PDB file of all heavy atoms in Angstrom:
ATOM      1  N   LYS A   1      -1.233  24.705  71.539  1.00 93.00           N
ATOM      2  CA  LYS A   1      -2.628  25.081  71.525  1.00 93.00           C
ATOM      3  C   LYS A   1      -2.791  26.639  71.516  1.00 93.00           C
ATOM      4  O   LYS A   1      -1.906  27.328  71.930  1.00 93.00           O
ATOM      5  CB  LYS A   1      -3.305  24.518  72.902  1.00 93.00           C
ATOM      6  CG  LYS A   1      -3.271  23.015  72.982  1.00 93.00           C
ATOM      7  CD  LYS A   1      -3.936  22.434  74.162  1.00 93.00           C
ATOM      8  CE  LYS A   1      -4.070  21.038  74.223  1.00 93.00           C
ATOM      9  NZ  LYS A   1      -2.663  20.376  74.398  1.00 93.00           N
ATOM     10  N   ALA A   2      -4.045  27.072  71.118  1.00 90.00           N
ATOM     11  CA  ALA A   2      -4.221  28.483  70.908  1.00 90.00           C
ATOM     12  C   ALA A   2      -4.127  29.333  72.321  1.00 90.00           C
ATOM     13  O   ALA A   2      -3.693  30.437  72.279  1.00 90.00           O
ATOM     14  CB  ALA A   2      -5.578  28.719  70.354  1.00 90.00           C
ATOM     15  N   ASP A   3      -4.375  28.587  73.396  1.00 93.00           N
ATOM     16  CA  ASP A   3      -4.431  29.352  74.623  1.00 93.00           C
ATOM     17  C   ASP A   3      -3.087  29.205  75.433  1.00 93.00           C
ATOM     18  O   ASP A   3      -2.891  29.703  76.566  1.00 93.00           O
ATOM     19  CB  ASP A   3      -5.555  28.898  75.475  1.00 93.00           C
ATOM     20  CG  ASP A   3      -5.483  27.365  75.888  1.00 93.00           C
ATOM     21  OD1 ASP A   3      -4.617  26.649  75.227  1.00 93.00           O
ATOM     22  OD2 ASP A   3      -6.252  26.947  76.698  1.00 93.00           O
ATOM     23  N   GLU A   4      -2.043  28.641  74.868  1.00 94.00           N
ATOM     24  CA  GLU A   4      -0.870  28.405  75.504  1.00 94.00           C
ATOM     25  C   GLU A   4       0.179  29.610  75.337  1.00 94.00           C
ATOM     26  O   GLU A   4       0.215  30.175  74.216  1.00 94.00           O
ATOM     27  CB  GLU A   4      -0.101  27.135  75.041  1.00 94.00           C
ATOM     28  CG  GLU A   4      -0.750  25.894  75.517  1.00 94.00           C
ATOM     29  CD  GLU A   4      -0.129  24.553  75.171  1.00 94.00           C
ATOM     30  OE1 GLU A   4       0.020  24.441  73.902  1.00 94.00           O
ATOM     31  OE2 GLU A   4       0.450  23.938  76.035  1.00 94.00           O
ATOM     32  N   ALA A   5       0.851  30.029  76.318  1.00 93.00           N
ATOM     33  CA  ALA A   5       1.822  31.069  76.296  1.00 93.00           C
ATOM     34  C   ALA A   5       3.124  30.558  75.643  1.00 93.00           C
ATOM     35  O   ALA A   5       3.584  29.509  76.080  1.00 93.00           O
ATOM     36  CB  ALA A   5       2.038  31.699  77.660  1.00 93.00           C
ATOM     37  N   VAL A   6       3.631  31.283  74.593  1.00 96.00           N
ATOM     38  CA  VAL A   6       4.798  30.827  73.934  1.00 96.00           C
ATOM     39  C   VAL A   6       5.807  31.791  74.138  1.00 96.00           C
ATOM     40  O   VAL A   6       5.669  32.914  74.357  1.00 96.00           O
ATOM     41  CB  VAL A   6       4.474  30.644  72.387  1.00 96.00           C
ATOM     42  CG1 VAL A   6       3.420  29.574  72.132  1.00 96.00           C
ATOM     43  CG2 VAL A   6       4.135  31.924  71.727  1.00 96.00           C
ATOM     44  N   GLN A   7       7.173  31.307  73.988  1.00 96.00           N
ATOM     45  CA  GLN A   7       8.265  32.007  73.920  1.00 96.00           C
ATOM     46  C   GLN A   7       8.576  32.026  72.329  1.00 96.00           C
ATOM     47  O   GLN A   7       8.320  31.043  71.642  1.00 96.00           O
ATOM     48  CB  GLN A   7       9.527  31.494  74.604  1.00 96.00           C
ATOM     49  CG  GLN A   7       9.371  31.576  76.039  1.00 96.00           C
ATOM     50  CD  GLN A   7      10.580  30.840  76.738  1.00 96.00           C
ATOM     51  OE1 GLN A   7      10.461  29.846  77.467  1.00 96.00           O
ATOM     52  NE2 GLN A   7      11.721  31.356  76.580  1.00 96.00           N
ATOM     53  N   GLU A   8       8.954  33.192  71.843  1.00 97.00           N
ATOM     54  CA  GLU A   8       9.259  33.208  70.469  1.00 97.00           C
ATOM     55  C   GLU A   8      10.481  34.065  69.996  1.00 97.00           C
ATOM     56  O   GLU A   8      10.865  35.024  70.782  1.00 97.00           O
ATOM     57  CB  GLU A   8       7.966  33.737  69.642  1.00 97.00           C
ATOM     58  CG  GLU A   8       7.556  35.181  69.972  1.00 97.00           C
ATOM     59  CD  GLU A   8       6.314  35.492  69.138  1.00 97.00           C
ATOM     60  OE1 GLU A   8       5.486  34.596  69.047  1.00 97.00           O
ATOM     61  OE2 GLU A   8       6.215  36.641  68.720  1.00 97.00           O
ATOM     62  N   GLN A   9      10.932  33.789  68.778  1.00 97.00           N
ATOM     63  CA  GLN A   9      12.100  34.584  68.230  1.00 97.00           C
ATOM     64  C   GLN A   9      11.884  34.649  66.746  1.00 97.00           C
ATOM     65  O   GLN A   9      11.492  33.760  66.160  1.00 97.00           O
ATOM     66  CB  GLN A   9      13.495  33.811  68.533  1.00 97.00           C
ATOM     67  CG  GLN A   9      14.695  34.494  68.008  1.00 97.00           C
ATOM     68  CD  GLN A   9      14.993  35.794  68.696  1.00 97.00           C
ATOM     69  OE1 GLN A   9      14.842  35.826  69.878  1.00 97.00           O
ATOM     70  NE2 GLN A   9      15.308  36.781  68.021  1.00 97.00           N
ATOM     71  N   ARG A  10      12.253  35.851  66.162  1.00 98.00           N
ATOM     72  CA  ARG A  10      12.021  36.156  64.747  1.00 98.00           C
ATOM     73  C   ARG A  10      13.321  35.925  63.960  1.00 98.00           C
ATOM     74  O   ARG A  10      14.403  36.326  64.511  1.00 98.00           O
ATOM     75  CB  ARG A  10      11.466  37.482  64.543  1.00 98.00           C
ATOM     76  CG  ARG A  10      10.003  37.590  64.986  1.00 98.00           C
ATOM     77  CD  ARG A  10       9.464  38.998  64.781  1.00 98.00           C
ATOM     78  NE  ARG A  10       8.123  39.116  65.253  1.00 98.00           N
ATOM     79  CZ  ARG A  10       7.030  38.802  64.604  1.00 98.00           C
ATOM     80  NH1 ARG A  10       7.268  38.539  63.255  1.00 98.00           N
ATOM     81  NH2 ARG A  10       5.884  38.820  65.061  1.00 98.00           N
ATOM     82  N   TYR A  11      13.301  35.391  62.811  1.00 97.00           N
ATOM     83  CA  TYR A  11      14.514  35.344  61.985  1.00 97.00           C
ATOM     84  C   TYR A  11      14.114  35.651  60.514  1.00 97.00           C
ATOM     85  O   TYR A  11      13.088  35.235  60.067  1.00 97.00           O
ATOM     86  CB  TYR A  11      14.982  33.786  61.987  1.00 97.00           C
ATOM     87  CG  TYR A  11      15.300  33.295  63.356  1.00 97.00           C
ATOM     88  CD1 TYR A  11      14.188  32.637  64.038  1.00 97.00           C
ATOM     89  CD2 TYR A  11      16.494  33.318  63.926  1.00 97.00           C
ATOM     90  CE1 TYR A  11      14.490  32.130  65.365  1.00 97.00           C
ATOM     91  CE2 TYR A  11      16.767  32.784  65.214  1.00 97.00           C
ATOM     92  CZ  TYR A  11      15.790  32.203  65.901  1.00 97.00           C
ATOM     93  OH  TYR A  11      16.058  31.787  67.233  1.00 97.00           O
ATOM     94  N   ARG A  12      15.063  36.308  59.882  1.00 97.00           N
ATOM     95  CA  ARG A  12      14.853  36.725  58.468  1.00 97.00           C
ATOM     96  C   ARG A  12      15.534  35.671  57.615  1.00 97.00           C
ATOM     97  O   ARG A  12      16.689  35.321  57.960  1.00 97.00           O
ATOM     98  CB  ARG A  12      15.450  38.123  58.170  1.00 97.00           C
ATOM     99  CG  ARG A  12      15.263  38.511  56.773  1.00 97.00           C
ATOM    100  CD  ARG A  12      15.732  39.936  56.538  1.00 97.00           C
ATOM    101  NE  ARG A  12      15.714  40.306  55.093  1.00 97.00           N
ATOM    102  CZ  ARG A  12      16.723  40.123  54.295  1.00 97.00           C
ATOM    103  NH1 ARG A  12      17.768  39.453  54.632  1.00 97.00           N
ATOM    104  NH2 ARG A  12      16.557  40.476  52.920  1.00 97.00           N
ATOM    105  N   VAL A  13      14.847  35.131  56.579  1.00 97.00           N
ATOM    106  CA  VAL A  13      15.386  34.187  55.727  1.00 97.00           C
ATOM    107  C   VAL A  13      16.536  34.793  54.835  1.00 97.00           C
ATOM    108  O   VAL A  13      16.225  35.631  54.070  1.00 97.00           O
ATOM    109  CB  VAL A  13      14.357  33.491  54.900  1.00 97.00           C
ATOM    110  CG1 VAL A  13      14.973  32.476  53.949  1.00 97.00           C
ATOM    111  CG2 VAL A  13      13.347  32.736  55.807  1.00 97.00           C
ATOM    112  N   ARG A  14      17.635  34.250  54.869  1.00 97.00           N
ATOM    113  CA  ARG A  14      18.796  34.819  54.137  1.00 97.00           C
ATOM    114  C   ARG A  14      19.020  34.053  52.863  1.00 97.00           C
ATOM    115  O   ARG A  14      18.601  32.996  52.595  1.00 97.00           O
ATOM    116  CB  ARG A  14      20.032  34.816  55.011  1.00 97.00           C
ATOM    117  CG  ARG A  14      19.932  35.493  56.324  1.00 97.00           C
ATOM    118  CD  ARG A  14      21.010  35.029  57.378  1.00 97.00           C
ATOM    119  NE  ARG A  14      21.000  33.687  57.484  1.00 97.00           N
ATOM    120  CZ  ARG A  14      21.971  32.950  58.267  1.00 97.00           C
ATOM    121  NH1 ARG A  14      22.947  33.613  58.853  1.00 97.00           N
ATOM    122  NH2 ARG A  14      21.828  31.602  58.461  1.00 97.00           N
ATOM    123  N   TYR A  15      19.805  34.646  51.970  1.00 97.00           N
ATOM    124  CA  TYR A  15      20.118  34.061  50.707  1.00 97.00           C
ATOM    125  C   TYR A  15      20.761  32.622  50.871  1.00 97.00           C
ATOM    126  O   TYR A  15      20.286  31.623  50.154  1.00 97.00           O
ATOM    127  CB  TYR A  15      21.090  34.846  49.882  1.00 97.00           C
ATOM    128  CG  TYR A  15      21.462  34.328  48.543  1.00 97.00           C
ATOM    129  CD1 TYR A  15      20.731  34.661  47.377  1.00 97.00           C
ATOM    130  CD2 TYR A  15      22.697  33.710  48.393  1.00 97.00           C
ATOM    131  CE1 TYR A  15      21.064  34.064  46.172  1.00 97.00           C
ATOM    132  CE2 TYR A  15      23.149  33.186  47.131  1.00 97.00           C
ATOM    133  CZ  TYR A  15      22.308  33.368  46.006  1.00 97.00           C
ATOM    134  OH  TYR A  15      22.595  32.946  44.816  1.00 97.00           O
ATOM    135  N   LEU A  16      21.706  32.453  51.764  1.00 97.00           N
ATOM    136  CA  LEU A  16      22.358  31.203  51.895  1.00 97.00           C
ATOM    137  C   LEU A  16      21.528  30.150  52.729  1.00 97.00           C
ATOM    138  O   LEU A  16      21.900  28.990  52.906  1.00 97.00           O
ATOM    139  CB  LEU A  16      23.747  31.342  52.603  1.00 97.00           C
ATOM    140  CG  LEU A  16      24.737  32.063  51.785  1.00 97.00           C
ATOM    141  CD1 LEU A  16      25.976  32.217  52.520  1.00 97.00           C
ATOM    142  CD2 LEU A  16      24.976  31.386  50.458  1.00 97.00           C
ATOM    143  N   ASP A  17      20.346  30.550  53.093  1.00 96.00           N
ATOM    144  CA  ASP A  17      19.372  29.560  53.755  1.00 96.00           C
ATOM    145  C   ASP A  17      18.691  28.719  52.725  1.00 96.00           C
ATOM    146  O   ASP A  17      17.969  27.812  53.025  1.00 96.00           O
ATOM    147  CB  ASP A  17      18.378  30.227  54.675  1.00 96.00           C
ATOM    148  CG  ASP A  17      18.940  30.915  55.820  1.00 96.00           C
ATOM    149  OD1 ASP A  17      20.026  30.525  56.236  1.00 96.00           O
ATOM    150  OD2 ASP A  17      18.361  31.933  56.276  1.00 96.00           O
ATOM    151  N   ILE A  18      18.658  29.164  51.440  1.00 96.00           N
ATOM    152  CA  ILE A  18      17.901  28.515  50.373  1.00 96.00           C
ATOM    153  C   ILE A  18      18.704  27.500  49.672  1.00 96.00           C
ATOM    154  O   ILE A  18      19.934  27.653  49.466  1.00 96.00           O
ATOM    155  CB  ILE A  18      17.594  29.637  49.286  1.00 96.00           C
ATOM    156  CG1 ILE A  18      16.757  30.686  49.980  1.00 96.00           C
ATOM    157  CG2 ILE A  18      16.687  28.940  48.263  1.00 96.00           C
ATOM    158  CD1 ILE A  18      15.482  30.429  50.671  1.00 96.00           C
ATOM    159  N   ASP A  19      18.114  26.339  49.418  1.00 94.00           N
ATOM    160  CA  ASP A  19      18.823  25.217  48.789  1.00 94.00           C
ATOM    161  C   ASP A  19      18.340  25.013  47.333  1.00 94.00           C
ATOM    162  O   ASP A  19      17.671  25.941  46.852  1.00 94.00           O
ATOM    163  CB  ASP A  19      18.708  23.827  49.574  1.00 94.00           C
ATOM    164  CG  ASP A  19      17.203  23.402  49.639  1.00 94.00           C
ATOM    165  OD1 ASP A  19      16.352  23.742  48.789  1.00 94.00           O
ATOM    166  OD2 ASP A  19      16.843  22.612  50.587  1.00 94.00           O
ATOM    167  N   ALA A  20      18.772  23.948  46.710  1.00 91.00           N
ATOM    168  CA  ALA A  20      18.499  23.708  45.203  1.00 91.00           C
ATOM    169  C   ALA A  20      17.099  23.502  44.959  1.00 91.00           C
ATOM    170  O   ALA A  20      16.745  23.733  43.846  1.00 91.00           O
ATOM    171  CB  ALA A  20      19.308  22.472  44.745  1.00 91.00           C
ATOM    172  N   ASN A  21      16.319  23.194  45.918  1.00 91.00           N
ATOM    173  CA  ASN A  21      14.784  23.068  45.679  1.00 91.00           C
ATOM    174  C   ASN A  21      14.138  24.499  45.764  1.00 91.00           C
ATOM    175  O   ASN A  21      12.831  24.525  45.709  1.00 91.00           O
ATOM    176  CB  ASN A  21      14.233  22.102  46.666  1.00 91.00           C
ATOM    177  CG  ASN A  21      14.410  20.740  46.375  1.00 91.00           C
ATOM    178  OD1 ASN A  21      14.706  20.388  45.194  1.00 91.00           O
ATOM    179  ND2 ASN A  21      14.624  19.841  47.339  1.00 91.00           N
ATOM    180  N   GLN A  22      14.822  25.523  45.901  1.00 93.00           N
ATOM    181  CA  GLN A  22      14.483  26.874  45.923  1.00 93.00           C
ATOM    182  C   GLN A  22      13.444  27.216  47.151  1.00 93.00           C
ATOM    183  O   GLN A  22      12.616  27.976  47.098  1.00 93.00           O
ATOM    184  CB  GLN A  22      13.615  27.139  44.725  1.00 93.00           C
ATOM    185  CG  GLN A  22      14.560  27.005  43.373  1.00 93.00           C
ATOM    186  CD  GLN A  22      15.777  27.652  43.481  1.00 93.00           C
ATOM    187  OE1 GLN A  22      16.015  28.934  43.742  1.00 93.00           O
ATOM    188  NE2 GLN A  22      16.907  26.862  43.144  1.00 93.00           N
ATOM    189  N   HIS A  23      13.861  26.603  48.327  1.00 95.00           N
ATOM    190  CA  HIS A  23      13.253  26.846  49.516  1.00 95.00           C
ATOM    191  C   HIS A  23      14.189  26.755  50.698  1.00 95.00           C
ATOM    192  O   HIS A  23      15.380  26.310  50.438  1.00 95.00           O
ATOM    193  CB  HIS A  23      11.909  26.051  49.737  1.00 95.00           C
ATOM    194  CG  HIS A  23      12.169  24.613  49.779  1.00 95.00           C
ATOM    195  ND1 HIS A  23      11.208  23.700  49.660  1.00 95.00           N
ATOM    196  CD2 HIS A  23      13.318  23.893  49.990  1.00 95.00           C
ATOM    197  CE1 HIS A  23      11.676  22.349  49.766  1.00 95.00           C
ATOM    198  NE2 HIS A  23      12.944  22.584  49.947  1.00 95.00           N
ATOM    199  N   VAL A  24      13.809  27.071  51.843  1.00 96.00           N
ATOM    200  CA  VAL A  24      14.733  27.023  53.073  1.00 96.00           C
ATOM    201  C   VAL A  24      15.049  25.652  53.230  1.00 96.00           C
ATOM    202  O   VAL A  24      14.252  24.672  53.236  1.00 96.00           O
ATOM    203  CB  VAL A  24      14.064  27.631  54.272  1.00 96.00           C
ATOM    204  CG1 VAL A  24      14.871  27.302  55.533  1.00 96.00           C
ATOM    205  CG2 VAL A  24      13.990  29.121  54.180  1.00 96.00           C
ATOM    206  N   ASN A  25      16.489  25.312  53.379  1.00 95.00           N
ATOM    207  CA  ASN A  25      16.975  24.075  53.705  1.00 95.00           C
ATOM    208  C   ASN A  25      16.403  23.531  54.962  1.00 95.00           C
ATOM    209  O   ASN A  25      16.264  24.251  55.969  1.00 95.00           O
ATOM    210  CB  ASN A  25      18.456  24.025  53.693  1.00 95.00           C
ATOM    211  CG  ASN A  25      19.075  22.764  53.893  1.00 95.00           C
ATOM    212  OD1 ASN A  25      19.182  22.201  55.046  1.00 95.00           O
ATOM    213  ND2 ASN A  25      19.409  22.048  52.799  1.00 95.00           N
ATOM    214  N   ASN A  26      16.057  22.215  55.011  1.00 94.00           N
ATOM    215  CA  ASN A  26      15.257  21.714  56.200  1.00 94.00           C
ATOM    216  C   ASN A  26      16.208  21.858  57.505  1.00 94.00           C
ATOM    217  O   ASN A  26      15.647  21.890  58.626  1.00 94.00           O
ATOM    218  CB  ASN A  26      14.887  20.173  55.912  1.00 94.00           C
ATOM    219  CG  ASN A  26      16.020  19.227  55.782  1.00 94.00           C
ATOM    220  OD1 ASN A  26      16.547  18.793  56.736  1.00 94.00           O
ATOM    221  ND2 ASN A  26      16.349  18.908  54.568  1.00 94.00           N
ATOM    222  N   SER A  27      17.598  21.788  57.363  1.00 95.00           N
ATOM    223  CA  SER A  27      18.341  21.914  58.614  1.00 95.00           C
ATOM    224  C   SER A  27      18.101  23.269  59.360  1.00 95.00           C
ATOM    225  O   SER A  27      18.323  23.330  60.488  1.00 95.00           O
ATOM    226  CB  SER A  27      19.855  21.708  58.290  1.00 95.00           C
ATOM    227  OG  SER A  27      20.295  22.730  57.538  1.00 95.00           O
ATOM    228  N   LYS A  28      17.749  24.243  58.560  1.00 97.00           N
ATOM    229  CA  LYS A  28      17.498  25.541  59.206  1.00 97.00           C
ATOM    230  C   LYS A  28      16.377  25.620  60.149  1.00 97.00           C
ATOM    231  O   LYS A  28      16.375  26.359  61.285  1.00 97.00           O
ATOM    232  CB  LYS A  28      17.290  26.664  58.106  1.00 97.00           C
ATOM    233  CG  LYS A  28      18.400  26.906  57.185  1.00 97.00           C
ATOM    234  CD  LYS A  28      19.655  27.370  57.949  1.00 97.00           C
ATOM    235  CE  LYS A  28      20.788  27.559  57.085  1.00 97.00           C
ATOM    236  NZ  LYS A  28      22.064  28.008  57.708  1.00 97.00           N
ATOM    237  N   TYR A  29      15.360  24.708  59.983  1.00 97.00           N
ATOM    238  CA  TYR A  29      14.322  24.592  60.991  1.00 97.00           C
ATOM    239  C   TYR A  29      14.762  24.059  62.321  1.00 97.00           C
ATOM    240  O   TYR A  29      14.267  24.545  63.371  1.00 97.00           O
ATOM    241  CB  TYR A  29      13.190  23.617  60.361  1.00 97.00           C
ATOM    242  CG  TYR A  29      12.385  24.163  59.105  1.00 97.00           C
ATOM    243  CD1 TYR A  29      13.040  24.120  57.893  1.00 97.00           C
ATOM    244  CD2 TYR A  29      11.251  24.752  59.200  1.00 97.00           C
ATOM    245  CE1 TYR A  29      12.394  24.598  56.775  1.00 97.00           C
ATOM    246  CE2 TYR A  29      10.538  25.197  58.184  1.00 97.00           C
ATOM    247  CZ  TYR A  29      11.095  25.086  56.908  1.00 97.00           C
ATOM    248  OH  TYR A  29      10.571  25.599  55.768  1.00 97.00           O
ATOM    249  N   PHE A  30      15.722  23.134  62.170  1.00 97.00           N
ATOM    250  CA  PHE A  30      16.315  22.615  63.402  1.00 97.00           C
ATOM    251  C   PHE A  30      17.069  23.717  64.191  1.00 97.00           C
ATOM    252  O   PHE A  30      17.034  23.780  65.422  1.00 97.00           O
ATOM    253  CB  PHE A  30      17.235  21.434  63.191  1.00 97.00           C
ATOM    254  CG  PHE A  30      16.500  20.175  62.746  1.00 97.00           C
ATOM    255  CD1 PHE A  30      16.097  19.972  61.428  1.00 97.00           C
ATOM    256  CD2 PHE A  30      16.168  19.263  63.693  1.00 97.00           C
ATOM    257  CE1 PHE A  30      15.439  18.812  61.013  1.00 97.00           C
ATOM    258  CE2 PHE A  30      15.476  18.080  63.348  1.00 97.00           C
ATOM    259  CZ  PHE A  30      15.095  17.915  62.011  1.00 97.00           C
ATOM    260  N   GLU A  31      17.797  24.578  63.386  1.00 97.00           N
ATOM    261  CA  GLU A  31      18.539  25.728  64.047  1.00 97.00           C
ATOM    262  C   GLU A  31      17.443  26.683  64.747  1.00 97.00           C
ATOM    263  O   GLU A  31      17.697  27.088  65.913  1.00 97.00           O
ATOM    264  CB  GLU A  31      19.228  26.467  63.046  1.00 97.00           C
ATOM    265  CG  GLU A  31      20.484  25.777  62.469  1.00 97.00           C
ATOM    266  CD  GLU A  31      21.259  26.724  61.554  1.00 97.00           C
ATOM    267  OE1 GLU A  31      21.127  27.983  61.605  1.00 97.00           O
ATOM    268  OE2 GLU A  31      21.965  26.221  60.711  1.00 97.00           O
ATOM    269  N   TRP A  32      16.394  26.986  63.985  1.00 98.00           N
ATOM    270  CA  TRP A  32      15.505  27.963  64.597  1.00 98.00           C
ATOM    271  C   TRP A  32      14.696  27.333  65.996  1.00 98.00           C
ATOM    272  O   TRP A  32      14.607  28.112  66.835  1.00 98.00           O
ATOM    273  CB  TRP A  32      14.390  28.268  63.578  1.00 98.00           C
ATOM    274  CG  TRP A  32      14.947  29.076  62.425  1.00 98.00           C
ATOM    275  CD1 TRP A  32      15.954  29.917  62.361  1.00 98.00           C
ATOM    276  CD2 TRP A  32      14.342  28.923  61.104  1.00 98.00           C
ATOM    277  NE1 TRP A  32      16.093  30.453  61.091  1.00 98.00           N
ATOM    278  CE2 TRP A  32      15.129  29.877  60.299  1.00 98.00           C
ATOM    279  CE3 TRP A  32      13.236  28.358  60.399  1.00 98.00           C
ATOM    280  CZ2 TRP A  32      14.875  30.122  58.862  1.00 98.00           C
ATOM    281  CZ3 TRP A  32      13.084  28.520  59.110  1.00 98.00           C
ATOM    282  CH2 TRP A  32      13.892  29.426  58.380  1.00 98.00           C
TER     283      TRP A  32
END
């Protein structure tokens, strides 16, 4: 929700994060 306090971390998308569909591989979301 908009009013909830969150913890957050930033990550830059790297070359090897991209798969054959030309976007970030779905397993990276689980890592983040």
